[in-house]
Amino acid sequence: MVEVGIFDSLRRRGRRGPAAGAGRSGSSADTRYLEEWAAARRGVEAYVEPPTTVTDTTVVLVAHDGEWTRRRIGSLAAAQRFGHKHTIPVYEAARVGYPKRMREYTERQKRRPAG
């Protein structure tokens, strides 16, 4: 007979390695995509999202018309450097929320006919 403790499964989980998404910081491909996306639009602002148990720090870029995109960025400091380099204001999404124009853009996309 083998005894199994109530917390044994949790202990074993820690030995398997990091959780999904953990340790994956923004890659050069992510940064390149963000640079190209921002350069092709006007009025871009950055909203940094804190890391969660399944994702690393991410940044949401929002254009003047509400169009948006999200990519991994690595850290708040990395997002601030990105913003400074590209003259893009950077906000912490957990503190200020997301702009209304972003939600309105998303709603417009849902109502658009497929085609």
Side-chain angles (χ1 to χ4, degrees):
M1 180 173 181
V2 176
E3 291 186 31
V4 178
I6 191 166
F7 296 109
D8 286 351
S9 67
L10 295 174
R11 281 189 211 103
R12 281 192 302 270
R13 187 174 300 146
R15 294 183 193 134
R16 289 185 197 149
R24 294 180 65 198
S25 61
S27 67
S28 59
D30 290 328
T31 303
R32 195 168 39 258
Y33 172 83
L34 292 168
E35 289 171 341
E36 291 170 4
W37 194 93
R41 288 153 184 87
R42 60 186 176 89
V44 175
E45 297 175 332
Y47 293 83
V48 182
E49 300 171 318
T52 68
T53 56
V54 294
T55 62
D56 202 357
T57 303
T58 53
V59 65
V60 176
L61 297 184
V62 183
H64 79 283
D65 62 352
E67 182 183 3
W68 61 275
T69 192
R70 174 184 287 118
R71 289 291 186 277
R72 290 187 314 268
I73 193 75
S75 68
L76 173 60
Q80 291 169 332
R81 286 190 301 274
F82 177 86
H84 181 75
K85 180 179 178 182
H86 300 286
T87 322
I88 295 172
V90 177
Y91 305 101
E92 292 181 56
R95 291 182 182 224
V96 301
Y98 298 97
K100 183 179 177 184
R101 69 183 185 276
M102 180 180 163
R103 291 186 298 278
E104 291 170 343
Y105 177 86
T106 301
E107 281 303 312
R108 286 192 307 269
Q109 297 310 301
K110 287 179 186 177
R111 290 189 298 240
R112 259 178 68 194

